[in-house]
Amino acid sequence: MIAAEIEREFNTHIQFEMASSYLYLSMAAWCDGQGLKGFSNWMRQQAEEERLHVMRFFDFVLDRGGSVRLAAIDAPQATWESPLAVFEAAHAHECEVTRRIHALVDTVLEIRDHAANAFLQWFVNEQVEEEANAADVVARLRLVGDDGRGILLIDQELARRTAPVAAE
Ligand code: FEO
């Protein structure tokens, strides 16, 4: 059985991960509108990955006998100044996800919910990759600056990002 406090905080996190998916979908739409199909593809795959994160929390809460209560999601930001700005925003967002995951670990350790702690460790590791993936694109965009050919080369590379695979 899941403690009421953990159930509440996990429900809040479900909303945040779903809002993350919504944000990346908005970023995908903006990139597509700029003619950057590869950047858009990266963001679409990221949106899907966030939805899979939602489902991990969703299933965990239900498996522990808790209730899932989906909350409203605000409209995400719709425009950015540049491809660099959009990826800087994505990286900052991932840092916030990491902060929230670590806060959840602190909470479950306080009440000694070992199952929840084991569950969250997957996310602790995942966030290292999530931050690195966005930071990597930010670094390359800073290298090419305003060079349109450089941006198009990165766009071609990001077009190759494939769909995430759901956990078994
Ligand atoms: Fe679900 Fe990108 O963290």
Side-chain angles (χ1 to χ4, degrees):
M1 197 61 196
I2 197 167
E5 181 184 3
I6 305 300
E7 181 190 71
R8 186 172 59 250
E9 294 204 11
F10 275 33
N11 269 289
T12 298
H13 198 75
I14 285 171
Q15 179 198 31
F16 190 72
E17 293 279 355
M18 192 59 97
S20 303
S21 182
Y22 217 37
L23 173 64
Y24 288 124
L25 205 53
S26 183
M27 290 174 166
W30 182 83
C31 291
D32 194 283
Q34 304 300 306
L36 297 167
K37 300 281 186 189
F39 285 84
S40 181
N41 173 63
W42 193 97
M43 289 297 179
R44 283 173 195 235
Q45 304 307 342
Q46 188 64 29
E48 184 57 17
E49 192 155 310
E50 300 305 342
R51 204 190 63 78
L52 295 175
H53 293 171
V54 168
M55 296 316 296
R56 280 181 180 266
F57 276 91
F58 185 95
D59 287 334
F60 182 81
V61 170
L62 294 177
D63 287 348
R64 297 288 302 285
S67 299
V68 169
R69 297 184 198 85
L70 298 178
I73 298 171
D74 291 337
Q77 186 174 337
T79 60
W80 289 266
E81 282 186 6
S82 64
L84 175 59
V86 82
F87 271 87
E88 282 176 337
H91 180 251
H93 187 79
E94 288 306 324
C95 292
E96 172 61 14
V97 178
T98 301
R99 191 193 66 73
R100 288 177 180 236
I101 292 289
H102 290 185
L104 287 176
V105 172
D106 290 343
T107 302
V108 302
L109 287 178
E110 264 173 35
I111 68 161
R112 299 184 179 183
D113 185 335
H114 298 294
N117 181 42
F119 166 79
L120 287 170
Q121 291 310 307
W122 184 90
F123 283 92
V124 170
N125 293 324
E126 172 75 358
Q127 281 311 118
V128 174
E129 192 182 311
E130 290 279 86
E131 285 188 29
N133 288 344
D136 184 49
V137 182
V138 167
R140 275 180 286 158
L141 281 169
R142 283 183 182 152
L143 274 177
V144 301
D146 292 332
D147 177 13
R149 285 171 302 180
I151 291 173
L152 286 176
L153 275 175
I154 299 171
D155 189 63
Q156 285 173 10
E157 188 188 330
L158 299 190
R160 292 197 285 270
R161 182 176 182 181
T162 53
V165 179
E168 293 183 5

